[in-house]
Amino acid sequence: MRRIWSAQRVPRYGDVIQITGGTTVEYSARSFTSYKAIGVNPGATLRFNTKVNTRMPVGTLIVFEGGTLQVGSPIYPVSHNVKAEILFDGVWLDKDSDPSQYGVGL
């Protein structure tokens, strides 16, 4: 398995994650660990596994122009008995530095 994480470990609570161009990450977890932010850079793909329940708690998910977020597709739809969740959990809200809350969400 090719190692893609710069920290040489699986991301954990509070991490800011960047998926670099030319990289595809298939997300297959049902996580209760909140990531502060995830960036899908141009040429990168974040793809949810469509055959298992998935849950991704995150403060901010940014898909830059040329990046791809794929949660099912016409050819590989999310199975009828599967739930794919992206949970914007609010853990990282900071109303003092971001009163309009532009830094949280998709």
Side-chain angles (χ1 to χ4, degrees), residues 75-91:
I75 297 171
Y76 298 106
V78 176
S79 298
H80 73 280
N81 60 336
V82 167
K83 187 184 288 188
E85 297 177 284
I86 300 172
L87 175 66
F88 297 100
D89 58 9
V91 170

Side-chain angles (χ1 to χ4, degrees), residues 42-57:
T45 299
L46 173 58
R47 179 175 37 224
F48 278 62
N49 186 324
T50 59
K51 306 254 185 246
V52 299
N53 289 323
T54 54
R55 182 176 194 267
M56 177 188 283

Side-chain angles (χ1 to χ4, degrees), residues 15-38:
D15 279 352
V16 174
I17 301 163
Q18 283 198 40
I19 303 171
T20 59
T23 302
T24 296
V25 172
E26 182 170 281
Y27 191 80
S28 298
R30 189 159 172 11
S31 180
F32 293 87
T33 297
S34 180
Y35 308 113
K36 188 169 187 177
I38 299 173

Side-chain angles (χ1 to χ4, degrees), residues 6 43 53 58:
S6 61
N53 289 323
V58 64

Side-chain angles (χ1 to χ4, degrees), residues 3-12 15-18:
R3 302 225 179 248
I4 59 171
W5 306 117
S6 61
Q8 301 303 311
R9 61 169 170 72
V10 174
R12 58 185 174 213
D15 279 352
V16 174
I17 301 163
Q18 283 198 40

